[in-house]
Amino acid sequence: NAGVMQNPRHLVRRRGQEARLRCSPMKGHSHVYWYRQLPEEGLKFMVYLQKENIIDESGMPKERFSAEFPKEGPSILRIQQVVRGDSAAYFCASSPPLGGSSYNEQFFGPGTRLTVL
Amino acid sequence: GEDVEQSLFLSVREGDSSVINCTYTDSSSTYLYWYKQEPGAGLQLLTYIFSNMDMKQDQRLTVLLNKKDKHLSLRIADTQTGDSAIYFCAVPNSGNTPLVFGKGTRLSVIA
């Protein structure tokens, strides 16, 4: 059973370009989370999605950032018109349906390291 | 919202015990987690504790929870060089998702 897959692992963009980050959750997982890790910082929550639904996007910047998790295919985090401050590691995590327990183990992917020149 | 604080650095000698501390603000958290991040890698769940427990032991790892003081600690016994990594304390925000992470404690193990 493959873990959470993210690609690309490294992405270089020039200012003003678009960045697309992909995340394939673990098999059987219907919940996806995106986090951003700035250098020397902890992870900051960005968005929580289920298939075809955004559940919580309270951590997403209001402009330029969007996320989706379509019925088929991976989850995509899209950053339009990137700026140098977007340089960071972006981690995706997935979890199975929560069921009746509040235990929520999130399994993390290896991350995409975005560098904006 | 939830706020999680950790000390940033810890250095120990191989074979000694390491204690990594964490404080949080939201007392309604039900499960609290410790994650480990090795260089260039994603996060791996190390252990967790349910909020009605005050201690959990798992081989070399001991988690202590003081709910009154909102203090969580991770003790690693017989620390090895392979334990060198960044350790994150993570506490759920309201509704159990998403996780709020501390900034991480960088553990360096000196041989």
Side-chain angles (χ1 to χ4, degrees), chain A residues 9-23:
Chain A
R9 294 290 308 276
H10 299 273
L11 182 61
V12 179
R13 286 287 178 265
R14 295 191 180 281
R15 279 181 299 169
Q17 291 184 318
E18 178 180 286
R20 279 183 178 247
L21 288 64
R22 285 177 289 278
C23 169

Side-chain angles (χ1 to χ4, degrees), chain B residues 75-89:
Chain B
R75 179 176 179 268
I76 306 173
D78 187 24
T79 312
Q80 303 297 306
T81 53
D83 295 324
S84 294
I86 303 176
Y87 292 81
F88 291 94
C89 169

Side-chain angles (χ1 to χ4, degrees), chain A residues 57-108:
Chain A
E57 57 182 347
S58 57
M60 285 280 267
K62 294 280 185 280
E63 296 175 350
R64 304 188 297 108
F65 285 72
S66 62
E68 62 176 9
F69 187 17
K71 189 176 178 183
E72 301 290 337
S75 175
I76 306 285
L77 178 68
R78 183 175 173 219
I79 311 172
Q80 295 178 287
Q81 299 174 326
V82 296
V83 300
R84 288 218 175 102
D86 297 332
S87 295
Y90 291 82
F91 290 96
C92 166
S94 73
S95 68
L98 293 180
S101 167
S102 56
Y103 178 69
N104 177 24
E105 180 175 356
Q106 295 181 19
F107 295 79
F108 281 79

